[in-house]
Amino acid sequence: MPLDAVKIKDLHFSYPGKTPTYQLTIPEWRVVKGDRIFLKGASGSGKSTLLNLLSGILVATHGVIEILGQDLCMLSARQRDRFRAAHIGIVFQQFNLVPYLSVYDNIRLAAYFGRKKQTGLDLIVKRLFTVLDLDDTLIARQAAGLSVGQQQRVAIARALVNAPEILIVDEPTSALDNDLRDAFMKILLDICSIHQSTLIFVSHDAALTHYFHTIVNLSEISQT
Ligand code: ADP
Ligand code: MG
């Protein structure tokens, strides 16, 4: 079994286009399994781009990105989707819920694509809802009808439902007030400890750094 959750070597990425503007270059970066990384950096420095590369949503121009020992470049788009569903939980700034589905179906879909056993799903959802301070009555509601803060918490519940080995989280707390933010960090870290998940967490909120083992500035690992 590989010891690294993430292993990057000579990564180059630029967005396609005639006049390439932004380039991300990371000569080498490793994240040991079980680590909790707080990833920071100036706005526009490429944090979200890196998270999309780690999730296999974007593909490196060249270089190697290994996730749990799997080289993402060796996978087709479809295989990457499957790999992501099975191993990675993602919470992005835009929470990407399916708007016309119910809250429950949004979460059930993630469990289904992750191919985890669905037995006990109701219990897991209930527990996540309790800790995230979401009312049970929201479960049957259409996702589009929820407030921004509620949608964000549902997105968090959805990302956690498969107890993923790697959690990738991009600026998740912006729509949460302080109490909720701390409740959110607690459940996130609880779940990471129980399942020994690796956490890669991007935020501007310096008040959260004490929750993390490792603080990385993107500028320390990338070249310009
Ligand atoms: P951060 O998350 O650190 O604020 P991003 O990864 O969002 O930074 O953006 C890094 C750079 O890539 C920025 O210059 C941004 O304008 C550019 N960028 C982001 N998304 C795209 C895209 N889809 N197409 C072209 N350029 C993009
Ligand atoms: Mg960003």
Side-chain angles (χ1 to χ4, degrees), residues 33-44:
K33 268 189 193 170
D35 205 353
R36 292 178 193 163
I37 308 271
F38 185 87
L39 180 65
K40 59 182 188 175
S43 179

Side-chain angles (χ1 to χ4, degrees), residues 85-87 110-119 161-165:
H87 300 287
Y112 171 77
F113 284 125
R115 301 200 171 172
K116 295 280 153 83
K117 280 204 194 112
Q118 305 240 342
T119 45
V161 74
N162 291 329
E165 290 132 290

Side-chain angles (χ1 to χ4, degrees), residues 15 22 42-49:
Y15 285 99
Y22 173 75
S43 179
S45 60
K47 303 179 296 296
S48 296
T49 302

Side-chain angles (χ1 to χ4, degrees), residues 102-104 107 122 125-142 146-147 149-151 153-154 157 180:
S102 71
V103 165
Y104 186 71
I107 296 173
D122 288 4
V125 172
K126 209 167 160 50
R127 176 167 174 257
L128 287 167
F129 266 50
T130 305
V131 188
L132 289 167
D133 197 24
L134 285 163
D135 199 283
D136 284 353
T137 57
L138 292 177
I139 285 179
R141 292 257 301 273
Q142 205 183 34
L146 272 52
S147 74
Q150 287 168 336
Q151 286 189 42
R153 281 174 280 151
V154 170
L180 220 45

Side-chain angles (χ1 to χ4, degrees), residues 44 46-49 93 170-171 202 204:
K47 303 179 296 296
S48 296
T49 302
Q93 263 165 305
D170 197 355
E171 308 261 14
V202 165
H204 282 112

